[in-house]
Every structure is written in C-alpha cells, then in structure tokens.
Amino acid sequence: MIEVEQLQFRLKSPEETVQLGARLAEHLEPGDVITLEGDLGAGKTTFTKGLAKGLHINRVVKSPTFTIIREYKGRLPLYHMDVYRLEDSDEDLGFDEYFEGEGVTVVEWAHLIKDYLPEDRLAITIRLIDEDEREMTIEPIGDRANSVCEEFRNESISD
Amino acid sequence: MQEKDEIILGIETSCDETAAAIVKNGTELLSNVVASQIESHKRFGGVVPEIASRHHVEQITIVIEEAMKEADVEFDDLSAIAVTEGPGLVGALLIGVNSAKALALAHSIPLVSVHHIAGHIYANRLQEPMEEFPLLALVVSGGHTELILMKEHGSYEIIGETRDDAAGEAYDKVARTLKLPYPGGPHIDKMAAEGSPEIDLPRAWLEADSFDFSFSGLKSAVINTLHNAKQRGIEINPNDLAASFQESVIEVLVEKTYRAAREYGVKQVVVAGGVAANKGLRGRLTDRFANTGIQLSIPPLWLCTDNAAMIAAAGSIEYQKGKRADMKLNGNPGLELEAF
C-alpha cells in the first residue's frame, strides 16, 4: 500500500477554495467519502460548492445544516451532509446507504458521527488564518483515500 | 341540496415534526396536531435528536388518531388524504407517505401529494383569502429563503433563492457564535430590539437584477467582527451586534421582496416559514408595503412552523385541480417545487 503523507494547501480566497474542490472532484469515484472539519465560516460549504462544480452539478449547492442531507445529480451524485444537529443524539440516519451508494458523500462536522464513518475516507480540515486566508489539510485514511491523494498530489506538482 | 364539504387529512413528516391535521374546504381548520420536540431540543442544547424515522413511527398513528378525534371525523368523511412528498429526509418522509398510502388504500380514499414549501405558502389560506394573483410568496425558514411567484393556484415559479445559507440558518449560526441557547432566532430578535444597528456589516445585494440571496458572507462578517474585537481587547455590545446583523438580513429580505413585487406587478404578498415570526421582519415588511396597494399577509407563528394543516390546505388545491397520487408514491428528498 502506498502511504501518502497528508497534503496541505494555503488558500487565499473563497475562489481558490472552490477551485481546489473542483480539481479534487475529478479524481473521485462512487463510494468515496470526504469528511470536513472547520469552524463556522471556515469554508466547508464553499469547498463543497467546488466539489459540485467538478462533478458537473448545475444546481446551486446550499448549506445542508437545517435539512442535514442534500442530494445533487451530476457526473456522480453528491450527498452533502451536515451532521452538526445530530450531536449527542447517537442517531444512525442510514449513513451506510449514502457511504456505500452510487455517489460521493461529503460530511461536515463528521467527528460527531465518528462511529458511523467508513474506514476509508479523505479527512479534510480547514483552518481560518485570517479573514480571507485558509489552510486546508487533506489526510487520507485507507487504501482508496491514499490512491486519490497520490493522484491529486502528482497532479498538483505537475501543475 | 348543499354540496358535500371537502374534508382533507394532512400528514407531514419531512423533518423534525410528526404532524396530522384536518382541514375543511381548504380554509377551515378542524384540528392540528404536532408532536413537537421543542423540550428535547432545549435539553440537548441546540440539536435535534428526534429526526430518525423510528421517532416518526412511534408518533404517527397516535397523531393521526388524535387529529381525527379532535375534528370529530371518520375515515368515511374524508375527501382525500394529503401528504408531504418532499423535500426532506427520505427516512422521515417515507413514514408519512407510507401511512397515507396505507390509509388511502384501506379506506378507498383519494391520495394527494404535496410539496413542503407549497404547504408553507398555503398555511396563509387558513388565516385569510389567497385569491389575488399574481401573488408573491417570501419563504423564510431554517432550510429555505425563496421568493416564489404564483400566477394562479398551485403554480410556482422560483424567482429568487439563497445561494448558500438560509436566513433562519444564518440566525442560528450567529446565535451559536454568540453562545446563545437554542433556538437562536428569537434570542437575536429580542437582543436586536435592545441594541442599535451601529456596527457596519455587509448587505449581499448580488447582481443588480437578481432576486437571489446570500447570507454566508454576513455570517463570516459577524464572526470576523467578534474575532477582531477580541484580538484588540475591545468589548462589543452583543445587543448592538444582534441589531446590526438583524438589520442587514431584514433590509435585504424586505427590499428584494418589495422590488420583486413591483417588477412582477403582484397584488398580494404572503410570508411563510419560521422566520416570519421575527418581529423585526414583520414590522419592516408591514411598513414597506403600507399604502402601496399591495396586500401583505403574515401568518401567526403557529402556522409558520412545520405543521400538517398547511399540507391539508395545499392538498385541497391539488385535489380541486384533480391531481391524484397512486400507490407508487414515494418520499422524494430532492423534490423541486417547479417540477411539482
């Protein structure tokens, strides 16, 4: 197994966050799961807008905080979850059906459902540096996540 | 001989609430039962644990029986059963849809499917007439911020919507930042009334001709304001921040609604969704539409939040149009209003 170290990016604007998401989306396959951590306003939904763009989804990606899950159709379906409201509830909303489904799943505040997360996933953390700047870390967990990261790193280097 | 009254049972299970209601002739409420989990929301400090399907399963039969009993109707009296088809959580929607299908089949009652947002709009019809078309609906809640143009009953065109956070969600997230208890909206509304809107926060007008909304940048601006003040050791009056935030949200909501109403020549504006309970918003909308010749309707709070009376009211429109669902009806989490 290839062990890829985590990738780190400095993003200077929301546009750069969107672009990075769009580029990563090109490497994704059905069943891939991405977890997103970061404070309010860090850009979790902004990054997901980028993923949607890269998956050729035309509809506007809106925050799923209230509805918990929103689904979109594109090159692959995108399942966008925000599990913030599930804190302490220990509820399984049928997560496996999404994680093992036909599409790509993005989970915001994923640590709140850590017992339900799949073993293989891309763990992304977005840290606020200042008003505009963000530091994004992508940590691959598992074989599939490692190969996505490896591909993505090679592409990023050749750019 | 007088025509038989139309009696509709409405069922709603799209998100947190399990609800059933009976509505007569599309406008008269006979019963409205909501198994609300507000107390448990408070107990869990801002989260909603009661959304899994099994909670709806536990409640649904009791809630329907109670609605029928309170209205003093039997299944034989029902003209139709109306149920929320979507949008919402699929597991939650399915409980309502399957209950409605089972009852419709067992008692040979017509089945009608309803879009959740159409329900919010038609909640107004339980309060006052909705007969002035074109009509504009401003839907503002935790999950929605939309301007919907209606040229006639049951016809919906989204002319503006949020591109990121819903207005109610922005309230809840700012409340989270200010460490206020759940639900955050009413707290901010109260604090805003005590403060003055003197902190400069952005208004997202977007493109000049756009009726879309965006509240994510405002949320970030509030977070940045607090963060910067903390770093500089400056005290910020939370009431002033709440007032400034509320001012920004309301100004954009009210102005865009007014401009859309003018542009499309609407005769009536109705407000729907949980944020319609906000006193600041109600006041400003009332002022803005005074002496304009445009009728403004804002429902009372109990009709703004999720309930099944609104589903029965919207179901009545579908029923009168001759629309029927069959036993293939399924919960549709991504149901679009315009396709409905």
Side-chain angles (χ1 to χ4, degrees), chain A residues 60-101:
Chain A
V60 176
V61 168
K62 297 183 222 170
S63 165
T65 305
F66 190 80
T67 51
I68 298 172
I69 302 169
R70 288 191 196 263
E71 303 184 27
Y72 303 90
K73 293 191 185 90
R75 174 177 76 82
L76 298 172
L78 174 68
Y79 311 123
H80 186 197
M81 299 183 189
D82 180 337
V83 297
Y84 182 85
R85 298 206 304 142
L86 301 183
E87 188 173 18
D88 297 335
S89 69
D90 196 29
E91 291 290 3
D92 183 355
L93 295 179
F95 296 119
D96 283 352
E97 283 179 43
Y98 291 98
F99 298 154
E100 291 161 17

Side-chain angles (χ1 to χ4, degrees), chain A residues 40-41 49 59-63 65-68 70-71 84-89 91 93 98 109 131, chain B residues 16 47-49 51-52 55 89 142-143 146 161-165 169 173 176-177 223-224 228 333 336:
Chain A
L40 271 182
K49 279 175 184 281
R59 278 176 61 200
V60 176
V61 168
K62 297 183 222 170
S63 165
T65 305
F66 190 80
T67 51
I68 298 172
R70 288 191 196 263
E71 303 184 27
Y84 182 85
R85 298 206 304 142
L86 301 183
E87 188 173 18
D88 297 335
S89 69
E91 291 290 3
L93 295 179
Y98 291 98
W109 303 94
E131 280 188 25
Chain B
D16 302 348
V47 292
V48 182
I51 49 175
H55 297 290
L89 290 165
E146 277 144 27
E161 62 185 321
T162 184
R163 293 181 186 171
D164 38 59
D165 293 1
E169 191 179 334
K173 285 181 175 170
R176 249 153 85 179
T177 308
I223 294 167
N224 288 335
N228 292 343
E336 290 189 40

Side-chain angles (χ1 to χ4, degrees), chain B residues 268-285:
Chain B
Q268 185 177 4
V269 171
V270 306
V271 188
V275 181
N278 183 286
K279 288 199 186 70
L281 179 62
R282 295 175 90 99
R284 285 284 282 282
L285 278 169

Side-chain angles (χ1 to χ4, degrees), chain B residues 46-123:
Chain B
V47 292
V48 182
E50 311 288 316
I51 49 175
S53 315
R54 66 184 163 87
H55 297 290
H56 287 295
V57 170
E58 284 162 11
Q59 301 283 355
I60 189 76
T61 319
I62 306 165
V63 165
I64 292 172
E65 274 174 13
E66 185 62 30
M68 299 283 288
K69 204 172 106 189
E70 265 183 40
D72 196 21
V73 297
E74 306 289 331
F75 283 109
D76 283 349
D77 302 324
L78 294 180
S79 314
I81 298 176
V83 64
T84 310
E85 181 186 353
L89 290 165
V90 68
L93 287 166
L94 279 174
I95 308 304
V97 166
N98 286 333
S99 305
K101 275 160 70 174
L103 291 172
L105 184 67
H107 299 279
S108 302
I109 304 167
L111 181 67
V112 175
S113 68
V114 171
H115 191 284
H116 183 77
I117 293 306
H120 273 301
I121 295 170
Y122 274 99

